Amino acid sequence: MEEADSQPSVDKSTNAPVTMAERMAKLKGLRQKMNASKEANRADLMAEHQRSKVNRREEVKKDRAREEAEKLIAKRDAEEAGEDYERSQFWNYSAESVEKWNEKQEAKRIRMDNKFTDWDQVNHKKYLRQVSELKPNLTAYNAKKESSMQTNEDGELVVASDSGFYRDANSLAFLSDAKPNPLAVDKMAADVAKQIDARTRFSKRRAHKEDEDVNYINDANQRFNQKIARFYDKFTKEIRDDFERGTAL
């Protein structure tokens, strides 16, 4: 047995004997990798600990204060150079983007002015929002309009009166193209599903789950019990299970 243990091991890949120095070198390399892994894990742990101590609100306040400071510095530099700071800021935006921004702010102001008075106004606001989100197929509209064009007595290209393109309340032209477009049907179904989902999430009151036990007497007591459960349920689970089984002493 001693002669077998004293024999050097053999590398299976090369069938060459492995010396003690090679073993020590390999062991040293493994220890270096292990120590490097420990250092990396320790660095990640410290970084995560530092991130946990960072207050997100304070970071947002610092970023906002930094932006304000940069704006004040840029305004001071512009005044020292004899430039108009407000005008120089418009150079960063195109006329189209400024116009869209003004329209968006005006629409927002109008929405804010329309406070709740009655349900008719609420329905009207919903109608206006749905109309603003409407994306008509202008390509199909223009193609159908061109197909309804004809030349009048003055040689002008106008829409034929009998084409049914411009319809009044007494027109029955819709019966000829009553079959809806499958894409339009899918779009309407998606919009209805979106409204149903929004209606279910509208109420701020959380729905009661039927499978949960009622261990509260009002909303405040329910929130208090939920806070207690987050911290102590893992310690009292066995006792509660014993009470439910009827085996508690």
Side-chain angles (χ1 to χ4, degrees):
M1 291 295 293
E2 294 181 357
E3 292 180 358
D5 294 339
S6 62
Q7 291 179 357
S9 60
V10 177
D11 191 353
K12 295 182 179 179
S13 59
T14 59
N15 294 326
V18 180
T19 61
M20 182 60 67
E22 292 175 347
R23 287 185 181 180
M24 295 302 295
K26 188 174 182 180
L27 180 61
K28 184 178 180 181
L30 293 175
R31 286 179 176 175
Q32 289 177 351
K33 290 182 179 180
M34 184 177 63
N35 293 332
S37 177
K38 287 182 179 179
E39 293 295 333
N41 292 337
R42 188 177 294 109
D44 292 341
L45 181 62
M46 294 301 297
E48 184 178 357
H49 179 64
Q50 293 296 330
R51 286 195 299 269
S52 64
K53 294 193 301 182
V54 173
N55 191 343
R56 298 300 179 186
R57 294 184 178 179
E58 293 296 331
E59 290 295 323
V60 172
K61 289 182 179 179
K62 290 180 181 179
D63 294 339
R64 192 174 300 164
R66 189 182 303 108
E67 292 177 359
E68 293 293 334
E70 292 175 354
K71 187 183 296 184
L72 292 176
I73 293 174
K75 190 173 183 179
R76 183 194 61 187
D77 295 341
E79 291 177 354
E80 292 178 355
E83 300 176 354
D84 188 356
Y85 173 76
E86 298 295 337
R87 186 174 182 179
S88 63
Q89 290 301 305
F90 288 118
W91 297 342
N92 299 327
Y93 307 98
S94 62
E96 292 80 4
S97 61
V98 173
E99 184 177 357
K100 289 181 180 180
W101 172 259
N102 292 334
E103 292 177 356
K104 184 177 180 180
Q105 293 301 316
E106 181 65 18
K108 183 178 181 181
R109 185 189 64 79
I110 294 175
R111 289 197 302 270
M112 294 298 293
D113 291 342
N114 294 334
K115 296 182 179 179
F116 178 82
T117 55
D118 53 18
W119 290 108
D120 291 337
Q121 187 182 14
V122 172
N123 294 331
H124 182 64
K125 287 176 63 177
K126 181 179 180 180
Y127 168 76
L128 293 178
R129 184 175 67 252
Q130 290 177 345
V131 170
S132 64
E133 296 175 354
L134 185 63
K135 301 287 188 300
N137 189 354
L138 296 179
T139 303
Y141 173 82
N142 293 329
K144 189 173 182 180
K145 183 177 180 180
E146 291 178 0
S147 63
S148 304
M149 289 289 186
Q150 70 176 9
T151 306
N152 59 5
E153 297 177 355
D154 299 331
E156 297 178 352
L157 195 63
V158 296
V159 178
S161 59
D162 57 348
S163 64
F165 186 76
Y166 294 125
R167 305 170 185 174
D168 56 8
N170 299 322
S171 176
L172 299 177
F174 66 91
L175 296 176
S176 61
D177 54 354
K179 186 177 181 180
N181 188 359
L183 296 178
V185 174
D186 294 340
K187 184 178 180 181
M188 184 186 68
D191 184 70
V192 172
K194 180 180 177 181
Q195 294 183 35
I196 293 175
D197 181 64
R199 197 177 298 118
T200 56
R201 292 185 290 104
F202 176 75
S203 178
K204 293 183 178 180
R205 184 178 180 87
R206 295 178 176 85
H208 172 67
K209 297 181 179 179
E210 298 295 336
D211 56 345
E212 289 186 354
D213 296 332
V214 179
N215 58 356
Y216 52 87
I217 58 176
N218 51 34
D219 293 341
N221 182 241
Q222 181 186 12
R223 290 192 295 270
F224 178 78
N225 292 343
Q226 289 174 352
K227 292 179 182 179
I228 294 296
R230 282 200 298 269
F231 293 99
Y232 296 105
D233 267 7
K234 57 184 177 181
F235 303 109
T236 61
K237 184 179 183 305
E238 185 176 355
I239 298 176
R240 287 184 286 107
D241 292 342
D242 289 342
F243 274 114
E244 290 179 1
R245 292 192 300 266
T247 57
L249 298 177

